[in-house]
Amino acid sequence: QSVLTQPPSASGTPGQRVTIPCSGSSSNIGSTYVYWYQQVPGTAPKLLVYRNDQRPSGVPDRFSGSKSGTSASLAISGLRSDDEADYYCAAWDDSLSGRWVFGGGTKLTVL
Amino acid sequence: QLQLHESGPGLVKPSETLSLTCTVSGFTITRNDYYWGWIRQPPGKGLDWIGSASYSGSDYYNPSLKSRVTISVDASKSQVSLRLSSVTAADTAVYYCARLSGSGSYEYYYMDVWGKGTTVTVSS
């Protein structure tokens, strides 16, 4: 059972806009930044969004993050076939002496 | 260009100690404004943070693993090591090394560059 909650799957057609939600609590998302990672099967996770809504250099502006209260979301616009991957949200949780926590991951399928 | 390369035994026996090394290239491992961490991913499952350490000696561990984990930074070899004792089958996973960037208190550091990972199986 992951501390952050994500739907196990999401899907969309090429060109469509898809949103992946992430729900947490006051000890994690509600009190600090949210991060998003993309993991293509068989490869390492890649940072997509940091500090709620910032993109590292090289990440297309089709990817955008937002946060409100104890929830966050990742939006992907202009969906492409190579966006098919697992997406994880992450945040620092200040309970239990502090720890990084992740969502269970959302598998995005491009139909 | 920063690169992280994990290495170590692919098979560890139950109750033994898992030891992995992450070799850092293209970056100065002794910089004070960075941490180095380990994250694992059991087969078919999500990500699980193990812990992080800095060259200056600050370290943070997942409370669920703290009694079994040690992470250290060796500047002379530009390596970050992970030791996990008393392993069981539940420790079977792909283990990733990552750099953490940020500023201020530790909660504002985040994993921005990851290695490709190394697979560890715990079995007799």
Side-chain angles (χ1 to χ4, degrees):
Chain A
Q1 190 81 358
S2 301
V3 174
L4 304 181
T5 302
Q6 298 179 238
S9 64
S11 63
T13 55
Q16 200 173 20
R17 183 176 188 270
V18 171
T19 300
I20 298 174
C22 174
S23 176
S25 68
S26 58
S27 65
N28 42 68
I29 294 178
S31 59
T32 190
Y33 295 117
V34 178
Y35 303 82
W36 289 91
Y37 296 90
Q38 177 193 58
Q39 185 178 33
V40 175
T43 70
K46 170 190 171 183
L47 179 66
L48 272 186
V49 172
Y50 67 100
R51 292 181 181 168
N52 299 337
D53 56 10
Q54 302 298 301
R55 281 185 306 276
S57 61
V59 173
D61 60 5
R62 300 187 298 107
F63 295 90
S64 61
S66 64
K67 175 189 135 174
S68 178
T70 59
S71 295
S73 63
L74 174 71
I76 309 172
S77 60
L79 202 60
R80 297 168 34 148
S81 58
D82 58 358
D83 294 332
E84 191 160 287
D86 295 319
Y87 292 84
Y88 293 90
C89 57
W92 178 258
D93 186 293
D94 60 18
S95 65
L96 298 178
S97 303
R99 54 177 177 156
W100 271 98
V101 292
F102 292 91
T106 297
K107 181 175 180 59
L108 175 63
T109 301
V110 181
L111 302 169
Chain B
Q1 177 88 10
L2 168 63
Q3 290 190 325
L4 307 174
H5 178 68
E6 304 90 342
S7 59
L11 181 64
V12 181
K13 289 182 168 55
S15 79
E16 294 190 343
T17 295
L18 179 163
S19 294
L20 297 177
T21 297
C22 172
T23 300
V24 179
S25 59
F27 192 83
T28 303
I29 200 171
T30 57
R31 287 184 60 173
N32 287 329
D33 48 351
Y34 291 89
Y35 281 81
W36 304 93
W38 289 91
I39 305 94
R40 67 183 183 178
Q41 185 170 34
K45 295 188 178 181
L47 301 167
D48 183 30
W49 175 68
I50 299 171
S52 310
S54 68
Y55 170 69
S56 61
S58 299
D59 54 23
Y60 299 85
Y61 298 116
N62 189 326
S64 67
L65 299 171
K66 188 172 183 177
S67 64
R68 299 195 289 132
V69 175
T70 302
I71 296 174
S72 57
V73 179
D74 185 337
S76 66
K77 297 179 180 178
S78 194
Q79 290 179 337
V80 184
S81 65
L82 168 70
R83 288 175 57 85
L84 179 66
S85 64
S86 304
V87 298
T88 69
D91 295 310
T92 294
V94 175
Y95 285 74
Y96 295 101
C97 172
R99 183 185 74 174
L100 287 87
S101 298
S103 60
S105 60
Y106 177 73
E107 68 177 277
Y108 299 121
Y109 283 77
Y110 57 95
M111 295 149 284
D112 64 340
V113 180
W114 298 58
K116 293 184 177 181
T118 187
T119 300
V120 177
T121 301
V122 179
S123 175
S124 56

